Amino acid sequence: MGLAPDAQAERKRNPGTAVCPKCRPQIKKIFIFLLWQYNFCMKHERFELKVRYGLENGGFIPSVTTYIIENSCAIDEKRRRPLILICPGGGYAYKSPREAESVAIKMNALGFHAAVLDYSVAPMEFPAAFLDLCEAMNFVRCHADEWNVDSDRIIVLGFSAGGHLAASLGVFWKSSLCRKYLPLESSQIRPDGLCLCYPVITAGKNCHGGSIENVLGGQALDREMRDFVSLEKHVSSEVPPVFMWHTDEDQSVPLENSLEFALALRKNAVPLEYHVFRQGRHGLSLATEETASCPEQVSRECSVWPELFAEWVKLL
């Protein structure tokens, strides 16, 4: 029996597999069932977050979807794992599915809990998306004991504009920005580390215009507000350790975004691991066939970043 057309296309794109893309959801269910059979379970749930900030966000209700690895009595019932809170990119206009669940499952494979944040996007008032992330961090910290999370290693991972969101928390977690809108203390929203993947950082010369316009909304032309969201200008020693990667060929979010942030981190003695890969377009996600919608989104050189990140987490 020959392969179905979808599977034939998949075989050409990825010679190592003949799995039809339409079958992947069923395969995922079988995989989770087998984990359960052998005492490895995953807590996979979607939780709506509170919207308490009184800003316009189109009536959107943010949420967190969890990928929590439950402990096994056959290994270590008291094991506590790092948790990676993922902020997909999308220019603050949408959230890319390529930078969400597949990344969470990859983090599980590396031994980490994961959660994906569905945050506010345009049209919205600033800083709605930031406040959604603050609520998500508080939610994760409140459930740390229940989910066996290492509460000293809760890391925010962001791609592109999601990287700007993650870096915003890293820069502003101890400021009054959150407390102006939410009854949360700095300790409740503190990230223990940042993983920034080809991040939007600046609203200056090398900015990604769409991201800045979307995050600021009606204030996008206000020079003072553009300076405020130019995160390289607000780095202090309070920023947690950072793992960051980018590509030299990125034409959408120029390398200068992460370079300027790296220089600011170094000036303030913030621990940093920074990788610049020579080749690769913007938006690579895992840089493998799993997250690619076209051949250009596959890069063997860049696909090592999750393993490099996992080694970095061990040093926290």
Side-chain angles (χ1 to χ4, degrees):
M1 181 182 295
L3 295 173
D6 284 346
Q8 292 175 6
E10 180 71 6
R11 169 63 68 85
K12 290 180 181 179
R13 190 160 62 93
N14 181 10
T17 181
V19 177
C20 171
K22 295 179 180 178
C23 298
R24 284 176 176 164
Q26 284 297 103
I27 292 173
K28 179 185 171 184
K29 291 179 182 178
I30 294 170
F31 174 69
I32 293 172
F33 173 76
L34 290 173
L35 288 176
W36 174 78
Q37 281 285 83
Y38 291 94
N39 294 319
F40 291 92
C41 300
M42 183 174 70
K43 189 185 296 291
H44 182 40
E45 299 181 61
R46 178 179 175 274
F47 299 92
E48 291 187 351
L49 298 172
K50 299 175 182 177
V51 180
R52 301 184 283 181
Y53 42 72
L55 297 173
E56 176 58 43
N57 75 340
F60 179 74
I61 304 298
S63 65
V64 167
T65 300
T66 63
Y67 300 77
I68 304 298
I69 304 171
E70 295 191 350
N71 286 340
S72 168
C73 59
I75 301 178
D76 182 359
E77 291 183 289
K78 298 181 180 180
R79 176 180 293 180
R80 286 182 172 265
R81 302 174 186 268
L83 184 141
I84 315 303
L85 180 55
I86 300 164
C87 301
Y92 284 114
Y94 70 102
K95 282 82 62 174
S96 171
R98 297 181 47 253
E99 297 165 344
E101 180 169 273
S102 294
V103 179
I105 292 173
K106 179 65 175 180
M107 294 299 112
N108 284 167
L110 293 169
F112 306 142
H113 298 308
V116 176
L117 173 62
D118 191 7
Y119 56 90
S120 299
V121 295
M124 62 177 173
E125 286 186 78
F126 181 81
F130 171 79
L131 298 171
D132 292 342
L133 179 52
C134 291
E135 289 281 18
M137 278 296 298
N138 177 57
F139 185 80
V140 168
R141 289 202 174 277
C142 287
H143 288 81
D145 288 338
E146 176 190 347
W147 294 342
N148 294 305
V149 173
D150 181 346
S151 57
D152 291 325
R153 289 192 292 173
I154 299 175
I155 299 157
V156 185
L157 185 159
F159 296 91
S160 192
H164 184 272
L165 181 56
S168 295
L169 186 62
V171 166
F172 294 127
W173 70 273
K174 208 169 183 180
S175 75
S176 61
L177 181 59
C178 177
R179 294 193 300 275
K180 180 179 178 181
Y181 298 94
L182 299 176
L184 296 174
E185 296 300 322
S186 297
S187 59
Q188 295 173 281
I189 65 170
R190 171 183 57 85
D192 298 304
L194 304 176
C195 178
L196 307 180
C197 310
Y198 40 89
V200 173
I201 293 294
T202 188
K205 178 182 177 181
N206 294 293
C207 76
H208 181 259
S211 293
I212 301 305
E213 290 170 12
N214 287 329
V215 73
L216 288 178
Q219 303 177 84
L221 298 180
D222 187 313
R223 181 173 296 181
E224 186 174 328
M225 288 305 300
R226 292 181 73 91
D227 282 346
F228 189 77
V229 298
S230 291
L231 303 179
E232 76 279 8
K233 298 182 179 183
H234 304 286
V235 173
S236 72
S237 59
E238 298 293 346
V239 176
V242 175
F243 177 96
M244 183 164 60
W245 70 275
H246 213 143
T247 64
D248 187 50
E249 293 182 343
D250 194 328
Q251 298 298 308
S252 298
V253 177
L255 180 65
E256 282 78 6
N257 280 261
S258 59
L259 274 174
E260 290 180 23
F261 198 60
L263 290 172
L265 294 169
R266 184 168 175 79
K267 182 178 179 180
N268 287 274
V270 176
L272 169 67
E273 182 168 327
Y274 180 37
H275 298 271
V276 178
F277 298 103
R278 183 170 64 89
Q279 296 181 326
R281 61 184 290 179
H282 184 72
L284 290 177
S285 185
L286 295 178
T288 64
E289 289 84 356
E290 180 62 32
T291 56
S293 59
C294 62
E296 292 76 22
Q297 290 172 341
V298 178
S299 169
R300 290 190 177 183
E301 179 187 8
C302 299
S303 66
V304 301
W305 78 261
E307 284 70 25
L308 294 172
F309 167 66
E311 291 301 313
W312 174 84
V313 172
K314 295 177 183 178
L315 301 176
L316 287 181

